[in-house]
Amino acid sequence: MTAAPYDFRARFAESHDLSLLLARARLLYQQILRAGELPADRELARSPAYREFLMLGLRIRAALSAEAFRRMVDGFAGNPDEPRAKTRRHLDHLWAGLADQWSSV
């Protein structure tokens, strides 16, 4: 029995889709921030931008292993002026628990 051929088109489509999801998540993250800080949880809960951001986080996490998701979060700051530690702290709050989801993936 021979192995199925590797589907380069499918892998490219997946990575392209992931790139688009990350780009959209970065835009939404900037929309969610107010003067460089996150709004209160009550305000986040009512925010359409946060709801979409959370759904993107779920989709991104479903596509990545827990370790790859953590690395993506570490490198999420796309702007060199954005402090990584602050962005990481924000994402730890906004996407709390997502890295631990589907831990067998």
Side-chain angles (χ1 to χ4, degrees), residues 39-75:
D41 286 347
R42 186 178 189 113
E43 191 175 341
L44 279 173
R46 295 181 176 138
S47 167
Y50 175 64
R51 283 194 295 275
E52 184 180 351
F53 183 79
L54 182 56
M55 293 307 298
L56 286 169
L58 288 167
R59 289 178 63 191
I60 292 165
R61 173 57 186 98
L64 299 173
S65 68
E67 183 58 33
F69 185 79
R70 286 185 189 98
R71 283 193 312 268
M72 181 279 304
V73 167
D74 286 338

Side-chain angles (χ1 to χ4, degrees), residues 6-105:
Y6 186 78
D7 189 347
F8 288 101
R9 287 178 298 174
R11 290 299 292 158
F12 175 77
E14 287 172 16
S15 66
H16 180 69
D17 290 345
L18 187 57
S19 295
L20 292 175
L21 294 175
L22 287 168
R24 180 69 182 149
R26 283 186 179 100
L27 287 172
L28 288 167
Y29 172 69
Q30 293 302 321
Q31 288 178 14
I32 292 168
L33 288 180
R34 299 265 166 84
E37 291 299 327
L38 294 177
D41 286 347
R42 186 178 189 113
E43 191 175 341
L44 279 173
R46 295 181 176 138
S47 167
Y50 175 64
R51 283 194 295 275
E52 184 180 351
F53 183 79
L54 182 56
M55 293 307 298
L56 286 169
L58 288 167
R59 289 178 63 191
I60 292 165
R61 173 57 186 98
L64 299 173
S65 68
E67 183 58 33
F69 185 79
R70 286 185 189 98
R71 283 193 312 268
M72 181 279 304
V73 167
D74 286 338
F76 189 83
N79 179 349
D81 297 331
E82 235 176 283
R84 272 189 206 278
K86 186 177 197 177
T87 301
R88 175 62 196 234
R89 188 178 75 245
H90 289 165
L91 292 179
D92 284 347
H93 181 75
L94 295 170
W95 283 341
L98 288 186
D100 301 327
Q101 295 296 316
W102 308 290
S103 57
S104 63
V105 175

